[in-house]
Amino acid sequence: MNLKEFKNQFLNSKRNQTADLLKGLAVIFMIQVHLIELFARQDIFSSNIGSVLLFFGGPPAAPLFMAVMGYYIAQSKKTFFYNFKRGILLFAGGILLNIGLNLHLLWKVSHGNSQIDPLKLIFGADILQLAGLSIIIISLLKISFKKNLFFYLIFAVAILYFHNISLKINLSDNYLVFVQAFLWGDLEWSYFPLIPWLFYPLLGFMYSLFIKKVNLDQSSKDFLGLFAAILTYVTINYGIEIAADLKNYYHHNWLYSLWVVQFLILIVYLTEKIEMLLGKSNLLIFIKWLGKNVTAVYVFQWIIIGNIATALYKTQNWIELILWFIVICFLVAVLVITFEKLKVKIKTT
């Protein structure tokens, strides 16, 4: 495949290139952090480099992805009923993905080789369920708040405030706790509960409204980028410390949410600069293609990593981790290309 064919295959110039690059980077960070969490030996996981890699699988991954999603919800002209259906499908898809990525482990549980509660595997509150619920709620807010930025801001602040209260509220019913896991609290299988994680798609949504009201010139963007860079440099140890402690990260407080806000400002600013300078390079075209197909990439990487992890849990050294990262990225790319071709074939028959 020559350069022209490569770009024709992977580059869609009609799309927002920076947004696709952001989503592509986010899903790459997710792949590496899943490897660190599940494949890496404990000494690697607990090392300083391990903490940095966990950080890159933290603020630049899920919060960034959710913020970009919120931005697109604000831009979308789709009806509430369309978004409601999409949210339900994403939520249901997240449950199916939980089953798919844990098939090997569920098989071991069914044969008495593991004592893990299978319901905690199946109903784990992960990012697809969060995305589905967020789309539904923000679509409802669009009907109520219209384009009033102030109302969305108050709602976002209320989410962060209620998060501290919600940690003290636990449902006692054995089955209701599985519902609670998707909504609030710090249950062990609740990785991305709606509260406080709804804050990030709301952040992206509010950013979209803000830039329509206030047209930031380049000097203003440079000032914000520089300010965020200085603030990140001064406080980076705090950012890494929380992200490297997975329970604290999944259920972080309002202060860390605000830290993530300024860090995302820096990430977006730097990504825009990288897109301007290197946006036509083969590597960035490929990463943007991953971003364009982010849901499929996310699903395939989790199915592969989740099932292999049952056999290799916390046994791999640095060289093996690097090789696994390359192999999984390659396999995911092949699967996504095949999946996209299959969709086209179905549509044309």
Side-chain angles (χ1 to χ4, degrees):
M1 181 184 292
N2 60 39
L3 180 60
K4 185 176 180 181
E5 290 174 337
F6 175 85
K7 290 184 177 179
N8 289 338
Q9 173 76 19
F10 290 96
L11 180 63
N12 186 337
S13 58
K14 296 180 181 179
R15 293 174 60 87
N16 184 317
Q17 299 298 296
T18 299
D20 279 345
L21 182 55
L22 286 166
K23 291 189 293 180
L25 290 171
V27 80
I28 287 174
F29 292 145
M30 287 179 185
I31 292 173
Q32 69 84 23
V33 83
H34 292 156
L35 290 174
I36 292 296
E37 289 178 15
L38 299 174
F39 281 28
R41 293 191 323 230
Q42 186 59 42
D43 61 306
I44 293 175
F45 180 87
S46 304
S47 68
N48 290 334
I49 298 178
S51 295
V52 171
L53 292 175
L54 287 170
F55 169 78
F56 276 103
L64 176 60
F65 171 71
M66 295 304 294
V68 174
M69 187 190 78
Y71 173 86
Y72 274 119
I73 295 173
Q75 299 283 319
S76 174
K77 304 297 183 182
K78 302 294 185 181
T79 66
F80 168 76
F81 294 103
Y82 176 92
N83 286 329
F84 181 81
K85 179 182 176 182
R86 181 184 170 208
I88 292 295
L89 289 174
L90 274 173
F91 187 90
I95 301 297
L96 292 176
L97 177 58
N98 283 346
I99 296 172
L101 73 90
N102 287 303
L103 272 178
H104 189 187
L105 188 52
L106 288 169
W107 181 85
K108 293 184 71 173
V109 171
S110 68
H111 285 73
N113 296 322
S114 176
Q115 302 304 313
I116 295 176
D117 184 350
L119 292 178
K120 294 180 180 179
L121 301 176
I122 296 170
F123 295 106
D126 216 322
I127 199 165
L128 286 186
Q129 294 94 325
L130 168 66
L133 292 173
S134 298
I135 289 172
I136 293 171
I137 291 176
I138 294 178
S139 297
L140 281 170
L141 294 180
K142 283 180 74 173
I143 296 173
S144 303
F145 297 164
K146 306 298 182 183
K147 296 182 179 180
N148 193 316
L149 181 58
F150 178 74
F151 287 163
Y152 292 102
L153 181 60
I154 293 298
F155 193 87
V157 171
I159 288 170
L160 297 183
Y161 175 77
F162 183 70
H163 174 54
N164 291 331
I165 300 173
S166 70
L167 293 176
K168 302 174 184 178
I169 305 172
N170 289 300
L171 301 178
S172 57
D173 186 277
N174 288 336
Y175 293 103
L176 284 179
V177 293
F178 292 100
V179 176
Q180 177 193 326
F182 295 112
L183 302 177
W184 77 82
D186 57 355
L187 298 163
E188 61 179 293
W189 64 96
S190 179
Y191 309 109
F192 296 102
L194 189 66
I195 298 173
W197 284 89
L198 178 59
F199 174 78
Y200 298 108
L202 271 174
L203 181 67
F205 189 97
M206 290 187 294
Y207 173 73
S208 176
L209 296 183
F210 177 76
I211 60 175
K212 287 182 178 179
K213 293 179 181 293
V214 180
N215 186 20
L216 293 176
D217 57 22
Q218 191 56 51
S219 61
S220 298
K221 291 180 179 180
D222 290 339
F223 173 78
L224 288 173
L226 178 61
F227 179 76
I230 294 171
L231 193 56
T232 297
Y233 177 78
V234 171
T235 61
I236 190 63
N237 288 338
Y238 170 71
I240 294 174
E241 180 183 356
I242 300 296
D245 184 338
L246 293 180
K247 184 174 181 179
N248 268 344
Y249 169 66
Y250 290 132
H251 309 287
H252 55 262
N253 61 21
W254 64 270
L255 182 60
Y256 195 71
S257 292
L258 296 182
W259 189 92
V260 171
V261 171
Q262 62 84 32
F263 182 74
L264 292 183
I265 290 172
L266 176 61
I267 289 292
V268 171
Y269 175 77
L270 292 176
T271 303
E272 286 181 343
K273 293 295 186 183
I274 292 171
E275 170 59 26
M276 290 171 57
L277 294 172
L278 303 170
K280 297 299 176 63
S281 68
N282 291 346
L283 177 60
L284 261 65
I285 289 172
F286 176 69
I287 294 174
K288 286 184 284 189
W289 175 80
L290 293 177
K292 172 180 172 288
N293 298 284
V294 67
T295 302
V297 173
Y298 182 79
V299 168
F300 286 131
Q301 63 86 30
W302 242 146
I303 291 173
I304 295 169
I305 293 175
N307 285 287
I308 295 175
T310 305
L312 300 181
Y313 187 66
K314 290 191 177 296
T315 62
Q316 304 298 282
N317 60 35
W318 281 115
I319 294 176
E320 290 166 332
L321 289 170
I322 293 170
L323 291 174
W324 274 118
F325 178 78
I326 295 171
V327 168
I328 288 169
C329 286
F330 174 78
L331 288 176
V332 166
V334 171
L335 287 170
V336 172
I337 291 171
T338 304
F339 177 67
E340 289 298 304
K341 288 181 177 179
L342 182 61
K343 284 200 304 183
V344 172
K345 186 176 180 180
I346 292 173
K347 287 180 180 180
T348 56
T349 56

